[in-house]
Amino acid sequence: MTANSGGPETVSKHQIDDSPPAETTTSETLEDAWGDEAVIQSRDLEVFYGDEQALDEIDMDIPERQVTALIGPSGCGKSTFLRSINRMNDLIDVARVEGDLYFHGKNVYDDDVDPVALRRKIGMVFQKPNPFPKSIFDNVAYGLRVQDQEDNVDEQVQQALERAALWDEVKDQLDSSGLDLSGGQQQRLCIARAIAPDPEVILMDEPASALDPVATSKIEDLVEELSQEYTVVIVTHNMQQAARISDKTAVFLTGGRLVEFDETNKIFNNPESQRVEDYITGKFG
Amino acid sequence: MSAPTESEEFEFDGTSIKRKRQIGRVFLGLCVGATMVGIVALVALLLDVLVEAWGWLTWEFLTYPPSQLVENYNPANYGDLPTGPGGIYPALVGSIYLISLTAIFTLVLGVGAAIYLEEYAPDTRLTQFIEANISNLAGVPSIVYGLLGLAMFVRALHTGASLIAGALTLTLLILPIVIVSSQEALRAVPDSMRRASYGSGATKWQTVRNVVLPEAVPGIMTGIILSLSRAIGETAPILMVGAATSMFAPPEVTDPTGPFAAMPMQIFEWASLPEGDFQHVAAAGIVVLLAILLLMNAVAIFIRNRYDRRG
């Protein structure tokens, strides 16, 4: 998306609107542009690591209950953007964020937003499977326990493992360590851990990059499945993967710029930018 | 095919290499020699102590208070003594109380400081300055801590020459080492674990409590126990705070403000007495101290192996 849109409800692609976020434009523009509601919206979002700029004026509207893929070459800022959605960048001392990022119309960088509360709505799955050295059950129950959702833990754990397509493989060994699972199972365990507290959005940072092809395809099936109930934002290095599983694709190129953001079909078949076409067709990156 | 002609290019017998190998062997010899000097000296020392203590280390030695008369320590005389046999009992119990109290103080102060510095403190110049000085404090001679303990606890806080003054002084002594080793244990917890916890909507405290600490406990415990086994053998600090050279009853468990005796002091006292046989008594005391020390180290190794999942 190349235009500077103004408000959190504004999702028009080509409309230039400098009005403050509170003044929203009509829902017709919204319908015209996407046909569905944007749950996360970034406006002029910039992230710096010390003096280095990692993201440059990102405007993006991420639709609800769809898969949005972030692709681009290494160091282009796609993971940084992902981490800025649930404020994981807060954990990096030198990181500084400017601009706005709205979740349900609320700027998550406002002073009154508690990042912990935000992360309870926006779960995350990381590049390398990182289960805790605890039992499979305790891994999945972790989010429930820290968020005080301790009613029916057994049921919720089972449900999360079922949704993560792992239940049948681990139901007889819930007490064994999560570290005893294979890499692909560990990653699905991490997905179960992320969805157990029932967030709205799941952020995935190259969740299949450390896995073999079979485990990767299981994760991909799972991502499509999850988008029935959750908004999924997934960073990937693998363009075929983005084409296979995502509804919308954002292409970041060097310098932390978002070059193009559109329906995945359009990006892969008829991109507007020559550089995006070059990147998609493998001329660089 | 003709026979290969003799090559002038390839010096196959390698005289220059042989010479380098010889230098290597000499160096190896020096290194082995250096190792042996240390090991032989240690073994000789231990053997000497064991030989000296042989026959003097009895059950009575462990369970009776010390005596002024060297005859009372000799097992050969146990049958015809007007009083009971002489032993190390009050100092043994005193040392165990002392080290237990030290363990409690160290656990709270050392681990607390390490958690603050590693997990909470911002990485400022002040923090770096504090961390550098904690490392420096680990190198301060123990007698200096003894003087500090004397001025701070015995005099300023009016604890007197008590068990608690001794324990606090030993705590100060090993605190820097405990903080540094606990920090290392915390640092060894992979950041991916912390990220996983924060990503699950955990607060900082929940992350430290549920993820970081359980992972770091084996390392922290190992560091604490090894430090405590250093503290139990320290003489200078408890000498300065005024541990009794000889006490005839163990300190009261319920009253840490009372006087106490400790094994290093008792051994020092025996070793400084003129009668030759007291050297055997001192050696027996040293064996008891060493046995407790080895026991503590064994516990540390056990904990490390038991809980180290990565190992």
Side-chain angles (χ1 to χ4, degrees):
Chain A
M1 155 167 197
T2 47
N4 283 323
S5 302
E9 302 302 325
T10 312
V11 284
S12 165
K13 273 199 296 174
H14 301 293
Q15 181 190 4
I16 295 177
D17 184 355
D18 290 321
S19 58
E23 296 169 33
T24 58
T25 45
T26 61
S27 57
E28 280 143 294
T29 23
L30 185 144
E31 294 298 325
D32 289 347
W34 306 109
D36 36 43
E37 199 180 337
V39 64
I40 295 163
Q41 298 165 291
S42 74
R43 293 292 175 269
D44 291 337
L45 189 75
E46 303 198 323
V47 177
F48 301 84
Y49 295 124
D51 295 331
E52 203 143 325
Q53 186 162 12
L55 282 183
D56 190 3
E57 298 194 2
I58 304 297
D59 286 341
M60 200 195 299
D61 289 9
I62 293 170
E64 197 167 20
R65 292 185 197 191
Q66 293 195 14
V67 180
T68 301
L70 312 178
I71 63 171
S74 300
C76 66
K78 53 195 191 303
S79 291
T80 300
F81 178 74
L82 193 77
R83 283 197 301 269
S84 64
I85 295 174
N86 66 343
R87 290 185 61 175
M88 287 296 271
N89 281 331
D90 288 17
L91 304 177
I92 302 168
D93 280 344
V94 294
R96 194 175 87 248
V97 178
E98 285 176 12
D100 305 320
L101 192 131
Y102 300 94
F103 176 58
H104 285 301
K106 172 71 180 171
N107 187 352
V108 303
Y109 288 96
D110 278 352
D111 289 341
D112 59 347
V113 173
D114 185 337
V116 172
L118 180 70
R119 292 180 200 130
R120 292 179 175 192
K121 287 282 167 203
I122 305 180
M124 191 161 197
V125 176
F126 299 84
Q127 183 170 358
K128 255 182 71 184
N130 56 355
F132 299 119
K134 302 174 189 284
S135 73
I136 291 171
F137 184 91
D138 287 342
N139 261 287
V140 182
Y142 186 78
L144 298 168
R145 285 178 177 149
V146 297
Q147 299 184 22
D148 297 322
Q149 301 180 20
E150 302 232 40
D151 303 335
N152 307 324
V153 175
D154 291 359
E155 209 172 290
Q156 294 189 70
V157 166
Q158 177 173 351
Q159 213 168 48
L161 283 168
E162 279 168 353
R163 280 185 192 164
L166 191 61
W167 174 252
D168 290 336
E169 291 162 59
V170 301
K171 63 183 173 198
D172 297 326
Q173 44 165 349
L174 292 176
D175 290 333
S176 60
S177 170
L179 296 175
D180 293 341
L181 299 174
S182 72
Q185 289 175 321
Q186 286 189 10
Q187 194 61 302
R188 277 179 283 146
L189 179 64
C190 293
I191 293 173
R193 182 177 64 193
I195 59 181
D198 206 25
E200 283 181 45
V201 180
I202 300 167
L203 307 177
M204 296 185 164
D205 192 353
E206 302 189 40
S209 67
L211 306 178
D212 64 76
V214 175
T216 301
S217 96
K218 280 187 184 162
I219 300 278
E220 288 182 7
D221 292 346
L222 184 54
V223 168
E224 293 193 273
E225 192 75 19
L226 290 173
S227 66
Q228 308 287 320
E229 288 179 67
Y230 304 100
T231 303
V232 179
V233 186
I234 182 168
V235 166
T236 175
H237 252 109
N238 181 333
M239 276 178 279
Q240 286 74 36
Q241 187 174 69
R244 278 195 297 268
I245 62 175
S246 69
D247 302 296
K248 291 207 161 49
T249 297
V251 185
F252 288 73
L253 292 178
T254 42
R257 276 187 212 94
L258 174 61
V259 180
E260 203 162 332
F261 177 46
D262 215 320
E263 304 286 340
T264 299
N265 278 338
K266 181 153 190 312
I267 293 279
F268 281 92
N269 296 321
N270 186 23
E272 288 187 12
S273 150
Q274 184 61 42
R275 291 175 66 210
V276 169
E277 189 172 342
D278 289 349
Y279 176 68
I280 302 274
T281 53
K283 286 193 181 143
F284 75 96
Chain B
M1 274 174 76
S2 60
T5 51
E6 196 178 313
S7 165
E8 288 173 26
E9 306 294 317
F10 177 40
E11 192 198 345
F12 58 87
D13 61 345
T15 28
S16 67
I17 299 173
K18 265 182 196 151
R19 196 171 145 60
K20 297 238 158 60
R21 285 233 176 82
Q22 268 169 358
I23 297 176
R25 271 196 288 272
V26 170
F27 183 70
L28 176 67
L30 284 173
C31 291
V32 170
T35 313
M36 291 321 281
V37 168
I39 290 179
V40 167
L42 192 66
V43 168
L45 205 71
L46 284 176
L47 279 180
D48 182 55
V49 169
L50 283 174
V51 168
E52 289 270 330
W54 191 256
W56 293 75
L57 184 55
T58 59
W59 180 250
E60 284 77 8
F61 182 73
L62 293 177
T63 52
Y64 278 89
S67 164
Q68 307 286 359
L69 304 167
V70 74
E71 298 82 46
N72 289 359
Y73 292 98
N74 193 336
N77 303 335
Y78 280 175
D80 41 31
L81 290 177
T83 62
I88 198 172
Y89 181 63
L92 176 63
V93 176
S95 269
I96 291 172
Y97 285 170
L98 187 66
I99 224 63
S100 306
L101 273 180
T102 309
I104 294 167
F105 295 146
T106 313
L107 192 73
V108 174
L109 297 177
V111 178
I115 290 174
Y116 172 72
L117 287 171
E118 203 53 38
E119 302 291 326
Y120 288 91
D123 191 23
T124 60
R125 273 165 194 274
L126 178 68
T127 315
Q128 287 168 9
F129 178 78
I130 290 173
E131 289 192 15
N133 278 288
I134 288 174
S135 305
N136 288 338
L137 283 176
V140 171
S142 58
I143 188 101
V144 177
Y145 284 102
L147 285 166
L148 181 68
L150 177 66
M152 214 163 113
F153 305 125
V154 180
R155 298 274 160 76
L157 295 177
H158 303 290
T159 60
S162 62
L163 199 60
I164 198 159
L168 286 169
T169 307
L170 288 179
T171 302
L172 285 185
L173 172 73
I174 61 172
L175 208 48
I177 309 169
V178 169
I179 293 174
V180 170
S181 66
S182 299
Q183 272 185 285
E184 272 161 16
L186 292 168
R187 213 172 296 146
V189 178
D191 259 346
S192 67
M193 295 288 113
R194 293 184 180 83
R195 279 199 294 271
S197 177
Y198 289 127
S200 302
T203 61
K204 183 130 204 167
W205 159 242
Q206 287 174 320
T207 301
V208 170
R209 163 76 187 76
N210 297 315
V211 175
V212 180
L213 270 183
E215 272 290 275
V217 157
I220 291 175
M221 290 309 290
T222 310
I224 288 182
I225 295 173
L226 292 180
S227 303
L228 288 174
S229 65
R230 182 195 161 185
I232 200 171
E234 278 291 344
T235 320
I238 54 170
L239 178 77
M240 291 310 296
V241 298
T245 45
S246 285
M247 271 190 59
F248 299 98
E252 290 287 328
V253 196
T254 49
D255 179 24
T257 57
F260 69 104
M263 282 191 288
M265 282 296 296
Q266 184 68 65
I267 292 164
F268 178 69
E269 167 72 6
W270 282 328
S272 59
L273 289 171
E275 290 95 329
D277 274 352
F278 266 118
Q279 299 319 311
H280 295 294
V281 180
I286 290 169
V287 172
V288 174
L289 183 57
L290 279 178
I292 288 189
L293 224 136
L294 289 177
L295 198 71
M296 290 171 72
N297 288 0
V299 168
I301 291 167
F302 175 77
I303 288 180
R304 191 167 51 205
N305 292 345
R306 174 76 178 72
Y307 292 98
D308 196 355
R309 298 180 189 85
R310 285 179 298 273

